[in-house]
Amino acid sequence: MTNMNDLVIQGFTPPLLLTDFRLAAFDMDSTLINIECIDEIAAAAGKKAEVAAITEAAMRGEIADFKDSLRRRLALLKGVPVSALEQVLATKLQFNPGARELCAALKAAGLKLVLVSGGFTFFTRYVAAELGMDFVRSNELEIVDGALSGGLVMQAWGEICDGEEKRRMLLQCAEQIGARPAQCIAVGDGANDLLMMGAAGLSVAYHAKPKVREQAMVAINQGGLDRLLTLFG
């Protein structure tokens, strides 16, 4: 393991060739953006502490069943008005440092970009449009009479985008463009990203939970996402 100014590398020696990769898949909350959207929605309902505690435990890997943890959190948000989501998007959501630069550089090099999130389409639509994502998968909040029902909408692929679904999405998108898993990059911060990261040729932990940092090939512990570009010759 090598430590270069809080950029930890294990399992390979830089530089890599960007031309060896064809696809990059990203988690959204706390990876591409600065917040956990569900926690900020909960703040509007006065339940942030309760929801954030479950989120933190799930991201650390202390709650093994992500689907169960998400359902528990959503149940606490029943009745929250859609205006609370609009407020989070307008006032809380910001891109993490280097997110725009990294995505632009990868796209310029010909890579396809995938946004795969255990978060919500209300936010992934905006993030995907801003960063030029080619593929997106996330959860659809059920809204009844202008408020959250506490549930999700069933989509063609399923109801909840958990760790296994993230892995499936990465492999499905790779197959669609004729790429091998070894030609994929996966970037995340939480335990529900580990399956996706394990399937990719290059796994990157960004300001991640300890369990994720330990298992990733690259851990960016300080600085922006664009630090990843320093690994490529």
Side-chain angles (χ1 to χ4, degrees):
M1 185 182 293
T2 306
N3 192 316
M4 298 162 44
N5 301 320
D6 296 307
L7 186 70
V8 181
I9 301 164
Q10 55 186 347
F12 71 97
T13 302
L16 298 171
L17 294 176
L18 200 48
T19 52
D20 287 339
F21 296 93
R22 297 187 57 196
L23 181 145
F26 292 89
D27 169 53
M28 181 178 71
D29 294 68
S30 297
T31 300
L32 287 173
I33 64 174
N34 65 321
I35 58 172
E36 293 286 337
C37 291
I38 193 167
D39 295 353
E40 298 304 325
I41 298 169
K47 296 180 179 179
K48 183 171 184 177
E50 194 172 353
V51 170
I54 301 173
T55 300
E56 180 69 13
M59 293 304 101
R60 287 197 304 259
E62 294 167 8
I63 300 176
D65 188 340
F66 176 82
K67 290 183 177 180
D68 176 61
S69 79
L70 183 58
R71 289 191 179 105
R72 285 165 56 190
R73 286 175 284 168
L74 286 171
L76 292 168
L77 301 182
K78 184 176 181 179
V80 172
V82 172
S83 59
L85 279 68
E86 294 166 348
Q87 183 179 1
V88 170
L89 181 58
T91 66
K92 298 290 186 181
L93 188 152
Q94 296 178 2
F95 287 96
N96 274 330
R100 290 182 184 275
E101 292 83 355
L102 175 59
C103 288
L106 295 178
K107 285 186 73 71
L111 279 75
K112 296 296 184 182
L113 303 185
V114 183
L115 178 56
V116 58
S117 173
F120 309 116
T121 56
F122 187 92
F123 303 101
T124 58
R125 276 193 291 264
Y126 169 77
V127 171
E130 287 289 308
L131 297 179
M133 293 287 167
D134 299 287
F135 305 97
V136 186
R137 180 153 296 176
S138 58
N139 305 311
E140 179 80 42
L141 289 164
E142 184 177 56
I143 297 170
V144 178
D145 297 329
L148 303 186
S149 73
L152 296 170
V153 175
M154 181 64 72
Q155 300 182 69
W157 51 266
E159 181 190 18
I160 294 179
C161 185
D162 61 357
E164 182 56 46
E165 187 59 39
K166 288 189 175 195
R167 177 181 176 275
R168 272 197 297 269
M169 182 63 172
L170 177 134
L171 295 174
Q172 177 185 318
C173 293
E175 183 179 8
Q176 189 170 330
I177 67 169
R180 293 175 288 106
Q183 295 174 299
C184 297
I185 301 168
V187 186
D189 76 301
N192 64 324
D193 298 315
L194 285 171
L195 289 175
M196 170 180 76
M197 292 167 68
L202 179 63
S203 56
V204 182
Y206 180 69
H207 293 216
K209 301 296 182 281
K211 183 177 180 180
V212 182
R213 292 200 304 265
E214 290 164 7
Q215 296 185 41
M217 296 169 69
V218 178
I220 301 172
N221 300 324
Q222 297 290 334
L225 278 161
D226 53 342
R227 292 197 66 191
L228 182 61
L229 296 171
T230 65
L231 301 181
F232 295 100

